[in-house]
Amino acid sequence: MRKYLIINADDFGMCHSANMAVLDLFQSGCIHSATLMACCPWAKEAAALCHQHPEIHVGLHVTHTAEWENYRWGPMSSQAASLRDEEGYFFHRTEDVLHQANSEDLMREMQAQVQWLRKQEIPFTHLDNHMLTLQNHLIETLKYCQKEGFSFRLARAKAQTNPQAAAAVAYADTHGIAIIDYLNPNSDRFPNDRYTYASIRDSYLAMLAHLPEGVSEFFTHPAVESEELKAIAPDWRVRVGDYQFLKDPVFRQSLRENQITLVGWEDAALLNSASALRK
């Protein structure tokens, strides 16, 4: 059994700094996958970059939250009242979505974001979920993915500890929906200080050295360092660190040393099952 790794750049379209990092990482061959936040202010630029650079492969980063203090966005669906806070934006926190949002609005908003991406005439490979707002609606989400032919970010390993995830994994495998085996495996064993590049680099290198056989995904949030990013995101150092690591030659060296094959979600979709990649 071999080791396959998807490096996904989450939050494509969130801001210009994220878009520039994603473009550079695709052009330099450091990543094969990104997921676009359709409801964010810089989504149109991200879509334009996809048209200009066909090497960019994207999925949809289904979003129901707007977590930053002064940089906000809201639903694309006109019928999503339970997803709006008192200011009309998405809620800041996942906990608020889980308590306030009804399943109809969650699904309706997901479909609105899918339709927006389709209107941009960009082919896309899969869905994943920003800040786990769909964690209580996995079967509903997978039924939609089955209907539309999407893969979905769901880790088989999660089934060992979570009954909801176990039911969802069984549904995905039964209905031929491509999922992954592991998501950020060993990140709890090798955490970083979220502040210094050396700590971020060493954490990723340890995770790569201990990558299990099968299909894993690392979700990252790369962004170039800028005043824009610093004004938006208190965790800007982590985002810059993700970008720096994927550009660092030690990343490629670690892939070679640990016999890891870098793949994208388009590979899983073509095979119709992430588990098929393990053969």
Side-chain angles (χ1 to χ4, degrees), residues 1-2 13 16 21 27 33 47 52 58 95 100 117 148 150 162 171 178 195 221 229 252:
M1 199 180 297
R2 298 175 61 184
H16 180 67
Q27 289 186 315
S33 180
Q52 296 162 14
V58 297
E95 291 81 359
Q100 300 290 337
L117 199 51
E148 300 295 333
F150 299 134
N162 185 306
Y171 186 94
Y195 190 84
H221 300 87
L229 182 67
R252 289 285 188 183

Side-chain angles (χ1 to χ4, degrees), residues 207-225:
M207 290 168 65
L208 289 171
H210 293 82
L211 194 76
E213 294 180 332
V215 184
S216 299
E217 179 180 0
F218 286 1
F219 64 80
T220 64
H221 300 87
V224 299
E225 184 172 347

Side-chain angles (χ1 to χ4, degrees), residues 13-21 42 45 49 71 224 226 228 232:
M14 190 270 281
C15 63
H16 180 67
S17 298
N19 289 353
M20 293 300 96
W42 285 86
E45 181 188 61
L49 290 173
Y71 184 61
V224 299
S226 68
E228 174 206 36
I232 291 170

Side-chain angles (χ1 to χ4, degrees), residues 95-161:
E95 291 81 359
D96 293 324
V97 177
L98 297 180
H99 285 104
Q100 300 290 337
N102 62 58
S103 60
E104 291 81 7
D105 284 350
L106 288 168
M107 295 298 111
R108 199 176 286 125
E109 178 59 24
M110 176 173 65
Q111 293 170 31
Q113 293 175 22
V114 166
Q115 290 306 313
W116 182 88
L117 199 51
R118 282 177 167 156
K119 286 180 181 177
Q120 310 311 305
E121 299 183 343
I122 301 168
F124 56 106
T125 54
H126 70 292
L127 308 185
D128 60 30
N129 181 209
H130 184 61
M131 296 179 68
L132 301 178
T133 53
L134 291 168
Q135 62 185 271
N136 294 333
H137 305 276
L138 290 176
I139 298 297
E140 293 170 84
T141 303
L142 289 171
K143 286 181 178 179
Y144 179 71
C145 289
Q146 179 188 2
K147 175 186 174 184
E148 300 295 333
F150 299 134
S151 306
F152 184 70
R153 177 193 282 166
L154 174 67
R156 288 189 180 84
K158 190 72 173 176
Q160 299 172 12
T161 57

Side-chain angles (χ1 to χ4, degrees), residues 26-38:
F26 270 106
Q27 289 186 315
S28 55
C30 299
I31 61 173
H32 294 179
S33 180
T35 37
L36 196 154
M37 300 176 81

